[in-house]
Amino acid sequence: APARVAPVDHKFTMQGLAPSSRVVVLATFFLIGFGVAAADGRRRLVSGSPDEPCRQMTLYYHDILHDGANNTANATSAAATSPPALSNDTYFGMLVVFDDPVTEGQALPAGAEEEPAARAQGFYFYDGKGSFNAWFAFSLVFNSTARRGTLNLMGADLMGEETRDISVVGGTGDFFMARGVATLRTDAVEGLLYFRLQMDIKLYECYV
């Protein structure tokens, strides 16, 4: 008599899988689900050329350092640490925390009734022992009718260079999961307490 073939149950089950196989299966399902959810119903655009970003803007970053006494009302940044003796004239080791206004033009907001285009919130620290360099990590926080959300930026600010690039590593809201480059240029310096940076931001991965 012909041998009987046991019926095959095509329903998926992990009971017969080794523990390591179960982890792989669960991780695969998680990544697939994350990829679908991450798009948030938007279409992903990736630029194929440095000259053709999917989105770009020019903004001005204003930093007004607290002098420790007289400019408390206007200051937008403060030293959280003092430079050690090792720093010489480069402020090596000094950390500054900021909540700086960011504008579309070079001028600072005229008053409380004039809102900036965004606020830059984060920190920089001086990390050059023999040269005047800093490292930035901050979010651009947009909260206006034109733009809402955040852009997260980080990287080395090599102050001796006329222009320098830092990375745009993510975003939220109108800038959901954006990535790109922000080119910095020192636009103005007034003593030790104020500087303005021009930021040319080009995004090469966008969700629309």
Side-chain angles (χ1 to χ4, degrees), residues 178-201:
R179 292 194 298 173
V181 173
T183 300
L184 309 181
R185 181 176 67 84
T186 302
D187 193 55
V189 176
E190 296 179 11
L192 298 175
L193 300 181
Y194 173 78
F195 67 86
R196 181 175 66 235
L197 298 178
Q198 177 180 315
M199 300 189 297
D200 293 319
I201 300 173

Side-chain angles (χ1 to χ4, degrees), residues 34 71 87 95 108 111 129 135 167 185:
F34 177 78
N71 69 340
S87 68
L95 171 69
L108 277 164
K129 182 180 176 183
W135 195 87
S167 301
R185 181 176 67 84

Side-chain angles (χ1 to χ4, degrees), residues 14-150:
M14 292 195 296
Q15 292 180 356
L17 294 177
S20 59
S21 299
R22 296 181 190 179
V23 171
V24 172
V25 171
L26 288 172
T28 301
F29 283 163
F30 173 79
L31 291 174
I32 291 173
F34 177 78
V36 172
D40 194 27
R42 310 185 200 196
R43 184 166 54 94
R44 179 172 178 254
L45 298 178
V46 179
S47 172
S49 168
D51 299 323
E52 298 178 354
C54 52
R55 190 168 186 175
Q56 65 183 56
M57 67 189 92
T58 297
L59 299 170
Y60 293 87
Y61 164 106
H62 305 263
D63 186 82
I64 307 170
L65 184 65
H66 185 226
D67 64 3
N70 299 318
N71 69 340
T72 301
N74 296 324
T76 59
S77 66
T81 62
S82 299
L86 182 64
S87 68
N88 296 318
D89 296 325
T90 65
Y91 297 103
F92 179 70
M94 178 175 167
L95 171 69
V96 176
V97 179
F98 57 83
D99 180 7
D100 287 338
V102 175
T103 58
E104 294 184 341
Q106 293 174 311
L108 277 164
E113 69 281 356
E114 184 178 344
E115 289 294 325
R119 298 204 71 87
Q121 298 175 331
F123 64 87
Y124 58 85
F125 56 83
Y126 293 96
D127 60 352
K129 182 180 176 183
S131 58
F132 203 58
N133 293 324
W135 195 87
F136 269 108
F138 64 97
S139 295
L140 290 176
V141 181
F142 299 88
N143 186 22
S144 68
T145 55
R147 305 183 186 98
R148 287 185 181 274
T150 64

